[in-house]
Amino acid sequence: RCLSMIQQKSDDNDRSESLKLIVDDLPAILVQEALNIAKEIKDVPHRITALATVAPHLSESLEEQVLQEALSAALELKQEFDHCHRLATLAPYLDEKLKKGVLQKALADARETSTAFYRSENLAVLAPHLDEKLRQHVLQEALAAVPDIQHKDKQVSAVAALAPQLSTNARKKVL
């Protein structure tokens, strides 16, 4: 019943978020239906998120296939913000070798992001997936981009995204 309600939603974000909320509680027999709904999502970033959400509940071979599909779509995204965000969304579901390569690519792309706000946001979203030493360096890079953000409200937003990930000392300095 919940799946049919999700399928009837017209907003792709709502569909993706709804799948995230229920997929852990679905009986195995309904997971394929959830996958079909995820694949029908037209908006690529939301489809990637939905596929990543459903994939761990599939058989191992189908999971790998669905994650490859999501990864291919994420790598084709052209928008600075969506690209790194979706790669970060996929990272926890990938095997270690693939995850490392995806994170390296995403990190390189984040560093090349031309807009300071998106550069800071991209680095912040990738940081939790990195080892501790690299994470601290990336968070410092993200903080360094904040003064280059032209609008004060976006500066506040960038710092708010970074603050929970910073060490206590670093957080005291920026807040």
Side-chain angles (χ1 to χ4, degrees):
R1 184 176 158 176
C2 285
L3 286 173
S4 65
M5 291 173 66
I6 292 170
Q7 195 165 23
Q8 292 173 15
K9 290 179 179 248
S10 60
D11 183 85
D12 286 343
N13 182 49
D14 284 349
R15 293 170 91 186
S16 178
E17 291 300 314
S18 296
L19 283 173
K20 281 195 326 191
L21 292 172
I22 69 161
V23 73
D24 289 339
D25 298 320
L26 286 177
I29 197 164
L30 294 178
V31 174
Q32 182 62 48
E33 190 176 338
L35 176 59
N36 293 340
I37 292 169
K39 286 184 172 200
E40 290 172 0
I41 294 174
K42 302 231 183 303
D43 181 73
V44 176
H46 294 303
R47 184 172 64 245
I48 292 166
T49 300
L51 291 171
T53 299
V54 174
H57 302 279
L58 301 167
S59 67
E60 200 171 311
S61 61
L62 190 53
E63 175 184 12
E64 188 175 318
Q65 181 184 345
V66 168
L67 287 174
Q68 247 344 107
E69 181 181 335
L71 181 56
S72 294
L75 290 170
E76 291 177 15
L77 286 172
K78 301 295 183 222
Q79 294 176 322
E80 292 180 328
F81 185 72
D82 277 337
H83 176 71
C84 290
H85 251 66
R86 300 313 160 189
L87 290 175
T89 297
L90 287 171
Y93 303 105
L94 304 174
D95 66 57
E96 285 305 310
K97 183 179 177 185
L98 188 54
K99 177 180 177 177
K100 184 176 181 179
V102 164
L103 289 174
Q104 286 175 343
K105 165 116 178 79
L107 191 53
D109 292 348
R111 287 174 169 150
E112 292 176 12
T113 303
S114 59
T115 307
F117 175 71
Y118 288 130
R119 185 170 54 255
S120 180
E121 289 279 312
N122 287 338
L123 292 168
V125 79
L126 292 169
H129 304 288
L130 305 171
D131 65 63
E132 186 58 31
K133 184 177 179 183
L134 184 54
R135 178 181 316 133
Q136 292 309 316
H137 182 73
V138 166
L139 290 171
Q140 290 307 313
E141 286 181 67
L143 277 174
V146 171
D148 296 333
I149 298 172
Q150 294 179 358
H151 302 285
K152 292 291 181 197
D153 59 329
K154 295 237 182 208
Q155 284 182 341
V156 171
S157 179
V159 171
L162 289 166
Q165 299 184 68
L166 299 173
S167 67
T168 304
N169 288 339
R171 196 170 33 249
K172 285 179 183 176
K173 288 179 185 176
V174 297
L175 299 178

